[in-house]
């Protein structure tokens, strides 16, 4: 087997403002921008709902929307996505019902959507544990002769975990059709990247595993879409796995319970706000003649209408069914679970009797 040779570019791949970016079909460019606008309003809505108590917590991706949208829209229908808890905007861009995507954050269920139907694995909260699962599914799909590539999303902190090492080793040895997109947003909670890794870049980690690697400007949605699309195409064609490091920034806190002012300066945040992915894409499309004031206003209105509808559904109060505790645990309930279910049913029946 030939080991992949890793050659990193001199600088992260970037397209915005470059002549080649103007060759992107206008419908695709407009769709990317619209999804960025929806993703930004989605983050605003979810942050507000968490502060109001409708969501238990929310890990915002404000400032990272280009990574989320560019990668999700690069997937073909038959491909699979393995997201983390911070990748809800990517999950929504993939086509999952936003209310179902936020179910985990409401605390109603461990997962609110059907992974098989959507081809999106459940949101993964433990760092990097989903990476080996992504490799396994990719390898199994290839053995079955399916034309499938798999995208695993993760953050910089996840690359410090043993599960990431195991997944990269497995992907390299199997030459699995999987793409790892590392969103390097500068911090693993409060730990800056310089204290996580002494390598020149996280993409350099691909070399030791025989995995092709590259860097991309994570705030450039065109570049992210292009690099991830090429990597997925390469995977489907038998070229093996790719590690993509997207350089971006988490503008908000780690979650809505975090106070980022305790570990970073506001001047640093302001510097990255000037590289806002939504603003960069709008500026580029205006210069390219694809967008004007009317089109921007129409897209903003569409985003607001969708957010309003989703917010209404998310704030609906639904009665919990205690029987759900025992569903989807085992195909056939073992004796101890059956006994618990019977005790719960008896308890519910007695309460109904008291209510009468």
């Amino acid at each position: 087997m030939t080991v992949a040779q890793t050659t990193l570019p001199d600088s992260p791949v970037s397209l915005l403002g470059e002549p080649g970016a103007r060759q992107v079909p206008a419908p695709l460019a407009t769709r990317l921008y619209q999804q960025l606008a929806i993703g930004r309003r989605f983050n605003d809505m979810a942050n507000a709902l968490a502060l109001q108590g409708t969501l238990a917590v929310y890990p915002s991706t404000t400032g990272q929307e280009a990574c989320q949208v560019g990668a999700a829209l690069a997937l073909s229908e038959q491909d699979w996505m393995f997201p983390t808890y911070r990748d809800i905007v990517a999950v929504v861009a993939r086509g999952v019902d936003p209310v179902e995507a936020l179910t985990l954050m409401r605390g109603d269920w461990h997962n609110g959507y059907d992974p098989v139907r959507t081809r999106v694995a459940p949101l993964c909260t433990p760092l990097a544990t989903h990476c080996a699962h992504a490799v396994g599914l990719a390898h199994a799909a290839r053995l079955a002769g399916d034309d499938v590539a798999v995208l695993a999303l993760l953050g910089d902190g996840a690359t410090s975990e043993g599960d990431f090492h195991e997944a990269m080793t497995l992907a390299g040895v199997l030459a699995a059709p999987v793409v790892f997109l590392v969103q390097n947003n500068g911090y693993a909670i409060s730990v800056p990247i310089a204290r996580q890794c002494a390598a020149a870049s996280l993409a350099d980690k691909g070399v030791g595993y025989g995995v092709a690697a590259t860097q991309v400007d994570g705030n450039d949605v065109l570049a992210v879409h292009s690099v991830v699309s090429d990597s997925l195409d390469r995977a489907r064609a038998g070229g093996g796995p790719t590690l993509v490091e997207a350089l971006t920034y988490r503008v908000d806190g780690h979650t809505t319970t975090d106070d980022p002012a305790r570990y970073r300066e506001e001047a640093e945040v302001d510097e990255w706000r000037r590289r806002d992915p939504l603003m960069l894409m709008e500026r580029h499309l205006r210069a390219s003649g694809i967008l004007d004031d009317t089109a921007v206003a129409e897209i903003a209105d569409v985003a607001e209408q969708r957010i309003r509808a989703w917010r209404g559904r998310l704030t609906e109060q639904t009665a919990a069914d205690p029987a759900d505790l025992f569903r989807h645990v085992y195909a056939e309930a073992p004796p101890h679970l059956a006994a618990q279910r019977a005790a719960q049913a008896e308890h519910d029946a007695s309460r109904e009797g008291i209510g009468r």
Side-chain angles (χ1 to χ4, degrees):
M1 181 176 64
T2 302
V3 176
Q5 297 299 311
T6 302
T7 303
L8 296 177
D10 294 332
S11 59
V13 176
S14 182
L15 292 179
L16 287 175
E18 298 295 327
R22 298 177 185 273
Q23 300 174 11
V24 174
L28 173 59
T30 303
R31 185 183 176 204
L32 287 166
Y33 174 77
Q34 182 181 49
Q35 285 297 328
L36 285 178
I38 292 172
R40 177 59 54 81
R41 289 293 294 117
F42 184 90
N43 276 319
D44 293 343
M45 174 196 70
N47 277 321
L49 290 175
L51 294 175
Q52 295 165 10
T54 300
L55 301 180
V57 69
Y58 183 67
S60 175
T61 52
T62 300
Q64 295 181 226
E65 292 94 346
C67 297
Q68 308 264 310
V69 169
L73 268 59
L75 291 163
S76 296
E77 183 179 355
Q78 75 274 15
D79 294 337
W80 272 77
M81 175 194 290
F82 279 71
T84 72
Y85 58 91
R86 193 178 299 283
D87 299 313
I88 302 178
V89 166
V91 171
V92 173
R94 177 67 168 149
V96 174
D97 184 321
V99 178
E100 295 180 354
L102 281 172
T103 293
L104 175 65
M105 302 304 161
R106 293 182 66 173
D108 297 338
W109 287 82
H110 290 301
N111 186 53
Y113 53 86
D114 181 351
V116 176
R117 179 180 59 81
T118 60
R119 296 203 164 221
V120 177
L123 297 172
C124 185
T125 301
L127 293 189
T129 57
H130 65 305
C131 293
H133 301 162
V135 176
L137 189 145
H139 182 55
R142 184 178 56 185
L143 292 177
D146 297 334
D147 183 26
V148 169
V150 178
L151 174 66
L153 302 171
L154 59 153
D156 48 286
T159 65
S160 299
E161 296 289 326
D163 295 89
F164 173 76
H165 161 78
E166 294 166 2
M168 290 291 288
T169 298
L170 192 61
V173 170
L174 296 174
V178 60
V179 176
F180 301 94
L181 177 63
V182 179
Q183 299 169 75
N184 183 354
N185 64 19
Y187 293 88
I189 308 182
S190 59
V191 180
I193 187 65
R195 292 178 59 190
Q196 299 177 57
C197 178
S201 74
L202 295 179
D204 282 317
K205 294 193 173 189
V207 177
Y209 302 103
V211 172
T214 191
Q215 283 184 316
V216 63
D217 181 349
N219 285 24
D220 181 340
V221 70
L222 294 178
V224 172
H225 184 271
S226 176
V227 168
V228 174
S229 293
D230 290 346
S231 300
L232 290 168
D233 289 343
R234 178 177 173 276
R236 291 191 209 93
T242 301
L243 172 64
V244 179
E245 179 187 9
L247 301 176
T248 185
Y249 193 79
R250 167 170 57 78
V251 172
D252 293 331
H254 175 66
T255 68
T256 45
T257 64
D258 178 39
D259 178 11
R262 299 182 64 180
Y263 54 84
R264 67 186 189 187
E265 299 294 331
E266 189 61 29
E268 177 182 293
V269 181
D270 290 340
E271 180 63 28
W272 277 94
R273 287 187 190 278
R274 287 191 280 274
R275 287 197 44 77
D276 178 88
L278 181 61
M279 177 189 69
L280 291 176
M281 185 58 166
E282 179 179 331
R283 183 186 300 161
H284 171 73
L285 295 184
R286 283 180 180 273
S288 303
I290 295 175
L291 286 182
D292 56 19
D293 288 345
T294 301
V296 169
E298 289 176 350
I299 289 173
D301 184 59
V302 169
E304 191 58 41
Q305 289 181 31
R306 293 189 184 182
I307 292 301
R308 192 178 300 119
W310 297 339
R311 185 190 299 114
R313 292 174 57 205
L314 281 163
T315 54
E316 291 176 356
Q317 297 297 321
T318 56
D321 183 358
D324 286 341
L325 291 168
F326 310 101
R327 295 191 178 109
H328 313 299
V329 181
Y330 293 93
E332 295 182 11
H336 72 277
L337 192 67
Q340 292 173 22
R341 183 172 56 194
Q344 179 67 49
E346 183 179 349
H347 174 73
D348 292 343
S350 64
R351 292 191 63 182
E352 289 179 6
I354 293 173
R356 294 193 188 96

